[in-house]
């Protein structure tokens, strides 16, 4: 977003890239997501045209670079990403991250959700609460199951919006259902509409800390083709913007935008869309961070 480079200690909101795709089970390429999201984000301007929020006038925002990854070792990458976000959290910065495949949300949450589980609102075609794929428990289909098992997420304060597509086993959703996750499939979303769905989601999340994760494959692939596991019949970009704006006022500890795979969209449309949604998320994060900073100063 044409912002300067800085260290986490110098900012209130840190833009971070996580160039990792070691957890993909279909088409790779999301390791290039942060680079192209940065490129296309130069189109973002200063003021939100609906809310009037100018995030850069409310809080200190900068690009804090990429979390370190090991392109050979999944385990080392998870460890180094966790350490990076733990340091960022200790510095007091709230992260807005660009993935990377969806497994990166797990080490991010490991670094942020210290001492108590947080809620989650997830825009996604897939639940990502599966036990494993190909004998591996750590991939982009499993991060939120692992996060629940590790006590990072409170499943009773989790909402997944936009789920759809064929599944590999009839029991793929059993864990999510048994855990109490509110799953909203695209058919229900179509019947109810984005505002009614968000009314329920906000009630579930309440006023306790929560995290936002937006998988670009939540969108219909006609609008975001550059992703590894596209599913037809998805959310529109306009509906996505409408829902993200409804997150204003939540106690958010961070957010991410994941699964942009530039090699599958030479037009750059998917990255433009992802960068725009990151600006939408930034405009939601900034007022809340500013309010907390102000309360802390007053205290």
């Amino acid at each position: 977003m044409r912002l300067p480079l800085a260290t986490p200690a110098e900012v209130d909101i840190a833009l971070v890239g996580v160039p990792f795709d070691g957890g993909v089970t279909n088409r790779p390429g999301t390791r290039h997501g942060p680079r192209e999201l940065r490129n296309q984000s130069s189109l973002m301007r200063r003021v939100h045209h609906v809310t009037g929020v100018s995030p850069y006038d409310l809080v200190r925002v900068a690009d804090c670079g990429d979390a370190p990854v090991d392109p050979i070792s999944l385990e080392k990458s998870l460890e180094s990403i966790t350490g990076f976000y733990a340091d960022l959290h200790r510095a007091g910065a709230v992260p807005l991250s660009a993935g990377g495949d969806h497994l990166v949300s797990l080490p991010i949450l490991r670094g942020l959700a210290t001492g108590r589980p947080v809620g989650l609102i997830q825009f996604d075609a897939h639940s990502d609460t599966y036990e494993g794929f190909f004998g591996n428990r750590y991939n982009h289909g499993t991060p939120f199951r692992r996060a629940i098992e590790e006590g990072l997420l409170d499943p009773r304060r989790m909402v997944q919006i936009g789920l759809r597509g064929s599944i590999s086993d009839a029991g793929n959703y059993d864990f999510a259902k048994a855990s109490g996750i509110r799953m909203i499939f695209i058919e229900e979303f179509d019947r109810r509409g984005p505002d009614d769905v968000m009314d329920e989601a906000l009630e579930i999340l309440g006023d306790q800390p929560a995290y936002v994760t937006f998988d670009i494959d939540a969108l219909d692939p006609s609008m975001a083709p550059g992703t590894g596991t596209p599913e037809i019949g998805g959310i529109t970009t306009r509906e996505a913007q409408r829902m993200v704006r409804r997150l204003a006022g939540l106690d958010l500890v961070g957010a991410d935008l994941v699964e942009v795979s530039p090699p599958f969209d030479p037009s750059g449309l998917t990255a433009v869309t992802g960068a725009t949604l990151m600006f939408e998320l930034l405009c939601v994060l900034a007022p809340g961070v500013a309010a907390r900073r102000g309360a802390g100063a007053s205290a």
Side-chain angles (χ1 to χ4, degrees):
M1 301 189 191
R2 292 176 281 124
L3 292 169
L5 286 170
T7 65
E10 298 174 295
V11 301
D12 301 307
I13 295 178
L15 301 184
V16 179
V18 192
F20 174 82
D21 61 5
V24 299
T25 58
N26 190 32
R27 305 189 300 181
T30 51
R31 68 179 65 190
H32 304 293
R35 183 182 303 173
E36 188 60 16
L37 284 163
R38 279 191 177 95
N39 181 37
Q40 298 296 345
S41 74
S42 64
L43 295 171
M44 300 303 107
R45 302 172 184 90
R46 293 188 60 85
V47 181
H48 194 284
H49 72 286
V50 175
T51 65
V53 170
S54 178
Y56 316 115
D57 295 326
L58 295 175
V59 291
R60 300 171 299 167
V61 188
D63 188 334
C64 290
D66 287 346
V69 301
D70 186 320
I72 305 300
S73 172
L74 184 152
E75 292 78 12
K76 289 181 180 178
S77 290
L78 294 180
E79 182 179 347
S80 61
I81 296 168
T82 298
F84 180 92
Y85 279 90
D87 290 343
L88 187 150
H89 184 57
R90 283 190 290 269
V94 174
L96 174 55
S97 306
D101 72 54
H102 219 156
L103 182 59
V104 304
S105 295
L106 176 61
I108 292 173
L109 287 166
R110 285 174 174 172
L112 300 182
T114 55
R116 78 285 187 254
V118 299
L120 181 78
I121 184 162
Q122 176 184 350
F123 301 96
D124 205 329
H126 312 101
S127 177
D128 296 349
T129 54
Y130 312 128
E131 170 56 23
F133 283 109
F134 308 106
N136 192 315
R137 300 174 74 245
Y138 293 94
N139 56 70
H140 68 166
T142 67
F144 303 117
R145 182 163 183 159
R146 301 287 90 83
I148 291 169
E149 292 168 346
E150 295 178 21
L152 307 173
L153 292 175
D154 178 356
R156 296 163 299 178
R157 295 183 56 242
M158 286 180 61
V159 184
Q160 300 176 329
I161 300 173
L163 304 178
R164 63 191 189 278
S166 58
I167 52 179
S168 57
D169 186 274
N172 278 168
Y173 295 119
D174 289 353
F175 175 85
K177 292 175 181 176
S179 299
I181 298 171
R182 179 64 171 103
M183 295 185 292
I184 300 176
F185 288 80
I186 197 68
E187 291 77 14
E188 180 182 353
F189 177 85
D190 283 340
R191 289 195 305 271
R192 297 175 58 188
D195 286 323
D196 192 37
V197 164
M198 287 304 295
D199 286 342
E200 181 187 1
L202 295 175
E203 184 176 350
I204 291 171
L205 290 167
D207 59 1
Q208 298 302 304
Y211 187 81
V212 183
T213 185
F214 199 112
D215 187 324
I216 203 73
D217 71 25
L219 303 177
D220 190 86
S222 64
M223 299 181 177
T227 190
T229 50
E231 303 282 359
I232 69 166
I235 295 167
T236 70
T237 51
R238 191 176 300 169
E239 290 167 336
Q241 289 175 294
R242 189 168 177 173
M243 289 190 287
V244 169
R245 291 168 194 167
R246 291 291 306 278
L247 300 175
L250 289 178
D251 183 8
L252 298 176
V253 300
D256 64 46
L257 184 289
V258 300
E259 295 286 357
V260 172
S261 185
F264 294 106
D265 182 10
S267 75
L269 172 63
T270 306
V272 170
T273 301
T276 304
L277 288 170
M278 288 187 71
F279 181 74
E280 293 275 3
L281 288 165
L282 178 60
C283 289
V284 166
L285 287 169
V289 171
R292 292 199 294 271
R293 295 289 188 266
S298 300

